Amino acid sequence: MVLVLFLVASVLTLVSYLTLKYVHGVQDAPYMDEIFHIPQAQQYCSYNFSSWDPMITTLPGLYVFSVIQLLPVASFRGARLAELCTTFNLRASNVTYCIGNFILLFVLTRQLTGNAKRTHLLQVLNAAVLTLFPVLYFFTWLYYTDPGATFFVLLMYALCLRGYHKSAAMAGAAAVLFRQTNIIWVLFCTGVVAIEVINERLRLDKKWHGNPNNMSDKDFVEILFQTTFSSCARFFSLVKQILIQTFCYLCIIVGFIVFLVVNKGIVVGDRSHHTASYNFPQVFYFLAVSAGFSFMHLSQPSQVIAFVKSAVKNPIKILLFAVLAGLLIKLFTCEHKYLLSDNRHYTFYVWSKIFKRHQLARYALIPVYFFSLYQFYNLTSHRGFLWRVVFSVCTIACLVPQALLEFRYYIVPFYILRLNMKLPTAKMLIAELFLYVFINSFTVYMFTQKPFVWPEDPSPQRFMW
């Protein structure tokens, strides 16, 4: 198994590095957000830690860890750190995060799907496929925060599941330094630990034996209330135990609250285009995008038939969902000014070609949202009622405040969702692998070979996520 992991990691490293060389050969100058990130990293490489570009809206985790990565290389080569902080080397640092993400995705797959020998190769394949998730993999070749931010969230989650909560909290703090919204996933790990405490309490209760996650949602809620609220003493005892077990994560959360108060908001630097919103349809977009990248796991004939049968049996539920979704779309749809002013991003074409096609187009996708929600709910049913509640709350908290339709916001929730689904079959994973390879090849081709020019700017513009 170690040999297989090494071989797959080696292939990923080689392919990623060669693609980086190719992309850099076409676009060697900083592009898009790199025009802010790269000069800032170079300031840190010159040990000028007091310098800060006010246009940057995230904390300095990306630059700090670039220094940490490049410092041993500079020492080994006897070179000045500032000399090594070139655009290429800074971009190359994301290749290391890419391989780190592959290892962590394998570890998490094993932790969440079991350690049976017959599934080891399947788990490696699952990790390799998820590593190639197009929205994240594209940024392996650009100096963006996404690979590093995702790495530390996955590291936190893996350590959390192992019970190494102090180390997990430290990884969570690093994730927040890359991107402030990762505090939501620190909260998610807090919820995961709380669920473990509650489930253990239920197992010790004489009213239930076995795995609480195997209960129906209704039975679980009834037994939870009977057990938790049977007396004040039991309730406060449970709360005390949860606080003790989650103390490390709560320290990070409290520290972040202090940061919010001192900073007077979550955004550092330029806040003019990063105001919080109530963009509830963002959750629907996430469901649709996740379903699109995972359609082979959701569209098996048996799953479609089960969905149709459930729809026929529960028309009231469908009607209620449609009404609620319609109201949320009507009242809370946000159209950020960047969305229709920057035609370099694929979201520009998604919005202009689908949502702007007709005033009713955004409502026409409600059946897609419902189908996606239904299938993801079933595919995570083995995680139990509380897990789905915690994940849903964290996903909503992560996405709804974001006014801009941006696929990069979906990376972490997509990974957590996919990791907590039942392990797919080899055929499904191979189909997903071919899909991801095709999309990645297409996006690299479009970025490198299909530049275009804006009338007011002679420099080439390139398509990207």
Side-chain angles (χ1 to χ4, degrees):
M1 180 50 57
V2 174
L3 178 61
V4 173
L5 271 175
F6 176 77
L7 289 174
V8 175
S10 299
V11 172
L12 276 172
T13 303
L14 179 62
V15 171
S16 301
Y17 182 77
L18 290 177
T19 308
L20 168 64
K21 291 276 288 184
Y22 171 64
V23 170
H24 187 76
V26 174
Q27 179 67 45
D28 58 350
Y31 185 71
M32 288 289 287
D33 290 1
E34 287 186 321
I35 63 174
F36 308 114
H37 291 314
I38 288 176
Q40 185 61 58
Q42 290 170 340
Q43 288 292 330
Y44 275 45
C45 287
S46 299
Y47 304 109
N48 188 6
F49 298 110
S50 61
S51 174
W52 186 257
D53 185 340
M55 293 301 294
I56 296 174
T57 60
T58 52
L59 291 169
L62 176 64
Y63 325 118
V64 171
F65 281 92
S66 291
V67 170
I68 293 172
Q69 283 178 291
L70 291 173
L71 198 55
V73 180
S75 177
F76 177 77
R77 294 176 58 177
R80 292 175 56 248
L81 179 60
E83 296 174 357
L84 291 182
C85 277
T86 62
T87 299
F88 179 81
N89 286 341
L90 290 171
R91 287 173 173 175
S93 66
N94 278 339
V95 176
T96 63
Y97 288 126
C98 174
I99 305 309
N101 285 333
F102 165 66
I103 300 300
L104 288 171
L105 287 166
F106 171 72
V107 169
L108 284 163
T109 300
R110 288 190 67 174
Q111 288 174 316
L112 293 166
T113 62
N115 194 26
K117 287 185 178 180
R118 61 184 177 83
T119 63
H120 284 177
L121 289 177
L122 208 58
Q123 291 167 341
V124 174
L125 179 58
N126 187 65
V129 169
L130 290 178
T131 303
L132 296 176
F133 176 51
V135 180
L136 176 62
Y137 192 58
F138 180 87
F139 293 98
T140 303
W141 314 302
L142 296 175
Y143 190 61
Y144 271 58
T145 60
D146 303 88
T150 303
F151 171 83
F152 282 105
V153 171
L154 293 177
L155 178 61
M156 172 182 63
Y157 192 23
L159 291 169
C160 172
L161 294 178
R162 292 262 181 170
Y164 304 138
H165 299 306
K166 291 181 181 178
S167 299
M170 292 175 63
V176 172
L177 285 176
F178 272 80
R179 184 168 290 168
Q180 293 92 305
T181 52
N182 283 336
I183 192 65
I184 299 298
W185 305 111
V186 177
L187 182 62
F188 171 78
C189 284
T190 307
V192 168
V193 177
I195 291 170
E196 291 177 357
V197 173
I198 292 169
N199 284 347
E200 184 61 28
R201 178 65 64 90
L202 290 178
R203 291 188 192 100
L204 295 174
D205 191 89
K206 296 180 181 179
K207 296 179 181 179
W208 176 259
H209 300 283
N211 187 351
N213 292 342
N214 293 331
M215 285 187 278
S216 68
D217 292 349
K218 181 181 178 182
D219 290 342
F220 180 86
V221 172
E222 288 179 357
I223 291 178
L224 179 63
F225 272 83
Q226 291 172 10
T227 304
T228 305
F229 297 103
S230 58
S231 69
C232 289
R234 296 197 70 178
F235 173 74
F236 286 111
S237 172
L238 179 63
V239 171
K240 179 182 177 181
Q241 190 176 357
I242 290 174
L243 290 175
I244 292 172
Q245 292 295 320
T246 61
F247 177 76
C248 297
Y249 304 102
L250 294 175
C251 288
I252 303 299
I253 293 170
V254 170
F256 188 79
I257 293 172
V258 172
F259 159 75
L260 290 179
V261 173
V262 173
N263 190 57
K264 298 180 181 178
I266 193 171
V267 177
V268 299
D270 180 27
R271 306 182 185 189
S272 58
H273 303 299
H274 295 84
T275 55
S277 69
Y278 295 99
N279 189 7
F280 288 99
Q282 188 86 258
V283 178
F284 299 144
Y285 310 150
F286 164 70
L287 287 171
V289 170
S290 298
F293 281 110
S294 309
F295 74 90
M296 63 288 298
H297 308 303
L298 282 62
S299 56
Q300 299 300 305
S302 59
Q303 294 172 310
V304 176
I305 291 171
F307 170 75
V308 173
K309 288 181 178 179
S310 178
V312 171
K313 290 180 181 178
N314 301 282
I316 302 300
K317 289 183 180 179
I318 294 177
L319 180 62
L320 289 174
F321 178 88
V323 171
L324 176 61
L327 286 173
L328 291 175
I329 291 169
K330 180 178 178 60
L331 297 176
F332 296 103
T333 294
C334 294
E335 192 173 83
H336 198 284
K337 69 177 185 177
Y338 282 175
L339 187 58
L340 291 180
S341 63
D342 194 339
N343 63 346
R344 293 171 293 185
H345 296 290
Y346 293 118
T347 48
F348 170 90
Y349 300 95
V350 170
W351 195 264
S352 61
K353 301 299 182 182
I354 298 177
F355 292 95
K356 296 288 286 186
R357 177 70 64 179
H358 190 276
Q359 60 182 352
L360 296 178
R362 62 189 63 178
Y363 301 101
L365 291 173
I366 289 177
V368 175
Y369 304 148
F370 184 76
F371 175 79
S372 304
L373 179 62
Y374 174 88
Q375 297 296 1
F376 283 128
Y377 181 90
N378 285 337
L379 289 169
T380 57
S381 60
H382 59 294
R383 292 297 169 210
F385 173 76
L386 282 181
W387 186 91
R388 291 196 298 271
V389 169
V390 169
F391 175 73
S392 299
V393 169
C394 289
T395 300
I396 290 169
C398 180
L399 299 181
V400 168
Q402 308 288 354
L404 179 64
L405 173 59
E406 171 63 82
F407 291 160
R408 290 188 297 145
Y409 300 151
Y410 307 155
I411 293 171
V412 172
F414 174 82
Y415 271 149
I416 292 178
L417 181 61
R418 274 285 280 105
L419 286 166
N420 283 278
M421 287 164 48
K422 294 178 181 177
L423 189 62
T425 64
K427 289 183 179 179
M428 290 182 187
L429 288 173
I430 291 172
E432 192 173 19
L433 175 64
F434 278 107
L435 174 67
Y436 287 3
V437 169
F438 171 77
I439 294 175
N440 284 321
S441 301
F442 173 80
T443 52
V444 170
Y445 170 77
M446 293 298 291
F447 182 83
T448 58
Q449 300 301 315
K450 293 294 181 180
F452 58 97
V453 176
W454 284 344
E456 67 278 11
D457 188 349
S459 60
Q461 308 301 322
R462 302 183 184 278
F463 294 106
M464 61 186 296
W465 289 108

